[in-house]
């Protein structure tokens, strides 16, 4: 049993990642119930994955007793859909399904021509990213297997843990006493370490709110084609995670950074450290030939600041992500970046971070 219709998958992700803490508890509980508590560390995205893979359809999922009628009622209200307070749960579920057909598109749905169709309110978490199509999402067919292998090898060596002690000292001179190269500067080691950790978490669906400062902000720019572009800006850990979840479920890709010095560097700022990186966007699952298809490239700017209340760990205060669908023949390099040019002008320093 797999929920295969795109509008239902997007709708489920929208409903079960609401800011309401009670709904989030239900999301995690359903993940545990369906998986029979087999997932060691359950997260929102892991729960959503379980729902998508093991439920027949969105209607049967919403009909579960654990999904209270009041959750459906409040959810529809965020889209200015007002129904009588005594509406049955079946009625509310049908309204949710109709909303998702309108919002995310369905081949079998013909929208009404009425001008008073309910739509999302200004306070609801909807994201105006463009949709992909057969024409707009053509990949280059490039697989760049060595790129993925090199990244996975480095990620495996870190075992998913970010060790700040690996990046706090200056690079060591070689046996002949030569000074360390630019890639061995402490700020560059920190940027590499954190970038590997961040995208490992991203691709494993385990990035959570603890990685962000409470006042963190995030900007995502997505360019499918010259005529299909979208930008979203959010603030706060919950909204950032919601945006990431929406992005991943809608486009189903993974981000693999270029871990060479030309693709990942750091810069010191008065307020902390900037980690600059670029890389390749691949589809999330390999094809029948076990090859990942390249969809485009991305650029990332991560602003980091230590948190003295949490063992002086580095946490994200600012995240900017630019994703561009295009043909990619070679690994992207920072020197060719569109978003990071100004940051690259900041001088490198050997200062300890």
């Amino acid at each position: 049993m797999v929920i295969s219709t795109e509008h239902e998958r997007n709708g489920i992700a929208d409903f079960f990642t609401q800011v309401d803490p009670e709904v989030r508890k239900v999301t995690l509980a359903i993940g545990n119930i369906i998986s029979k508590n087999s997932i060691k560390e359950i997260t929102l995205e892991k729960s959503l994955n379980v729902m998508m893979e093991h439920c027949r359809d969105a209607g049967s999922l919403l009909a579960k007793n654990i999904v209270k009628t009041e959750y459906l009622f409040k959810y529809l209200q965020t889209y200015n859909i007002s129904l009588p307070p005594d509406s049955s749960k079946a009625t509310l579920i049908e309204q949710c399904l109709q909303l998702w057909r309108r919002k995310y598109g369905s081949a079998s749905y013909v929208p009404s021509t009425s001008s008073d169709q309910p739509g999302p309110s200004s306070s609801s978490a909807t994201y105006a990213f463009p949709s992909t199509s057969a024409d707009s999402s053509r990949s280059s067919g490039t697989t760049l297997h060595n790129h993925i292998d090199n990244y996975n090898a480095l990620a495996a060596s870190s075992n998913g843990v970010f060790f700040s002690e690996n990046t706090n000292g200056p690079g060591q001179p070689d046996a002949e006493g030569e000074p360390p190269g630019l890639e061995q500067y402490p700020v560059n080691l920190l940027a590499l370490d954190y970038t590997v950790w961040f995208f490992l978490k991203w691709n494993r669906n385990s990035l959570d709110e603890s990685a962000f400062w409470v006042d963190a902000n995030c900007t995502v720019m997505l360019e499918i084609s010259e005529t299909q572009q979208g930008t979203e800006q959010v603030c706060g850990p919950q909204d950032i995670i919601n945006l990431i979840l929406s992005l991943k479920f809608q486009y189903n890709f993974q981000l693999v950074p270029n871990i060479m010095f030309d693709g990942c560097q750091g810069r010191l700022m008065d307020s902390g450290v900037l980690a600059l990186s670029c890389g390749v966007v691949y589809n999330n699952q390999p094809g029948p030939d076990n090859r990942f298809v390249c969809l485009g490239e991305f650029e990332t700017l991560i602003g980091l600041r230590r948190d003295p209340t949490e063992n002086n760990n580095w946490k994200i205060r600012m995240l900017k992500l630019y994703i561009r669908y295009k043909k990619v023949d070679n690994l992207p390099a920072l020197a060719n970046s569109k978003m990071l040019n100004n940051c690259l002008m900041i001088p490198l320093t050997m200062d300890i971070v």
Side-chain angles (χ1 to χ4, degrees), residues 1 3 12 16 26-39 42 46-57 60-62 64 66:
M1 296 185 296
I3 299 177
I12 289 170
F16 283 101
V26 169
T27 305
L28 298 177
I30 292 177
N32 280 325
I33 292 170
I34 297 176
S35 67
K36 298 181 180 179
N37 293 311
S38 62
I39 300 176
I42 195 71
K46 288 178 182 178
S47 291
L48 288 172
N49 282 329
V50 170
M51 294 179 196
M52 304 295 185
E53 297 301 321
H54 298 281
C55 291
R56 183 175 64 253
D57 54 55
S60 61
L61 184 59
L62 295 179
K64 290 183 178 294
I66 195 172

Side-chain angles (χ1 to χ4, degrees), residues 141-145 148-149 152 254 256 281-287 289-295:
T142 306
T143 54
L144 301 173
H145 263 293
I148 293 182
D149 292 342
N152 287 339
Q254 60 175 319
V256 182
V281 183
Y282 295 97
N283 61 336
N284 205 35
Q285 298 293 333
D289 57 355
N290 203 34
R291 296 167 68 87
F292 291 93
V293 176
C294 170
L295 303 175

Side-chain angles (χ1 to χ4, degrees), residues 326-345:
K326 58 170 292 187
K327 182 179 180 180
V328 179
D329 295 317
N330 300 294
L331 278 180
L334 293 173
N336 301 321
S337 166
K338 288 189 175 182
M339 183 180 73
L340 305 175
N341 287 336
N342 291 337
C343 297
L344 290 172
M345 300 299 292

Side-chain angles (χ1 to χ4, degrees), residues 289-310:
D289 57 355
N290 203 34
R291 296 167 68 87
F292 291 93
V293 176
C294 170
L295 303 175
E297 61 185 28
F298 71 91
E299 302 171 18
T300 309
L301 174 62
I302 304 177
L304 299 169
R305 186 174 67 223
R306 287 192 182 276
D307 186 351
T309 67
E310 293 192 14

Side-chain angles (χ1 to χ4, degrees), residues 215-227:
D215 59 348
N217 64 82
C218 173
T219 302
V220 176
M221 295 163 282
L222 182 61
E223 182 179 315
I224 302 298
S225 67
E226 291 185 359
T227 58

Side-chain angles (χ1 to χ4, degrees), residues 21-293:
E22 292 301 315
V23 174
R24 289 180 167 229
K25 289 179 183 178
V26 169
T27 305
L28 298 177
I30 292 177
N32 280 325
I33 292 170
I34 297 176
S35 67
K36 298 181 180 179
N37 293 311
S38 62
I39 300 176
K40 186 175 181 181
E41 294 182 5
I42 195 71
T43 64
L44 288 178
E45 191 158 358
K46 288 178 182 178
S47 291
L48 288 172
N49 282 329
V50 170
M51 294 179 196
M52 304 295 185
E53 297 301 321
H54 298 281
C55 291
R56 183 175 64 253
D57 54 55
S60 61
L61 184 59
L62 295 179
K64 290 183 178 294
N65 291 333
I66 195 172
V67 181
K68 296 181 180 179
T69 301
E70 63 188 79
Y71 300 157
L72 299 169
F73 192 83
K74 291 179 180 178
Y75 173 75
L76 290 169
Q77 282 185 325
T78 65
Y79 286 93
N80 295 330
I81 300 176
S82 298
L83 296 169
D86 58 350
S87 297
S88 67
K89 187 175 183 180
T91 299
L92 297 176
I93 291 174
E94 180 57 33
Q95 287 294 320
C96 287
L97 297 178
Q98 290 183 17
L99 166 65
W100 297 342
R101 293 186 192 106
R102 289 194 301 271
K103 183 179 178 184
Y104 299 111
S106 171
S108 61
Y109 177 73
V110 179
S112 168
T113 57
S114 171
S115 61
D116 59 353
Q117 279 289 339
S121 65
S122 59
S123 61
S124 63
T126 59
Y127 306 114
F129 290 125
S131 62
T132 56
S133 65
D135 292 330
S136 65
S137 61
R138 286 193 300 266
S139 71
S140 65
T142 306
T143 54
L144 301 173
H145 263 293
N146 288 341
H147 174 217
I148 293 182
D149 292 342
N150 291 341
Y151 172 75
N152 287 339
L154 185 57
S157 68
S158 72
N159 198 29
V161 179
F162 173 58
F163 296 104
S164 60
E165 61 265 28
N166 290 346
T167 57
N168 281 346
Q172 298 298 317
D174 60 26
E176 298 180 358
E178 292 293 329
L182 294 178
E183 67 275 8
Q184 292 297 313
Y185 279 29
V187 70
N188 288 329
L189 293 174
L190 170 60
L192 174 61
D193 201 1
Y194 202 92
T195 296
V196 170
W197 176 87
F198 178 82
F199 287 109
L200 181 67
K201 289 283 188 179
W202 175 293
N203 294 329
R204 287 183 176 177
N205 303 330
S206 57
L207 192 66
D208 58 36
E209 297 169 15
S210 65
F212 300 89
W213 283 87
V214 293
D215 59 348
N217 64 82
C218 173
T219 302
V220 176
M221 295 163 282
L222 182 61
E223 182 179 315
I224 302 298
S225 67
E226 291 185 359
T227 58
Q228 292 177 289
Q229 302 177 16
T231 300
E232 288 293 340
Q233 294 179 306
V234 296
C235 295
Q238 283 189 344
D239 287 343
I240 292 174
I241 293 297
N242 283 347
L243 177 58
I244 291 173
L245 286 172
S246 176
L247 189 68
K248 292 194 66 179
F249 272 94
Q250 184 170 351
Y251 294 99
N252 196 32
F253 53 56
Q254 60 175 319
L255 305 177
V256 182
N258 174 4
I259 55 177
M260 305 302 289
F261 179 64
D262 65 347
C264 181
Q265 298 179 24
R267 294 293 189 273
L268 279 179
M269 301 287 288
D270 291 338
S271 57
V273 168
L274 296 178
L276 321 174
S277 63
C278 58
V280 180
V281 183
Y282 295 97
N283 61 336
N284 205 35
Q285 298 293 333
D289 57 355
N290 203 34
R291 296 167 68 87
F292 291 93
V293 176

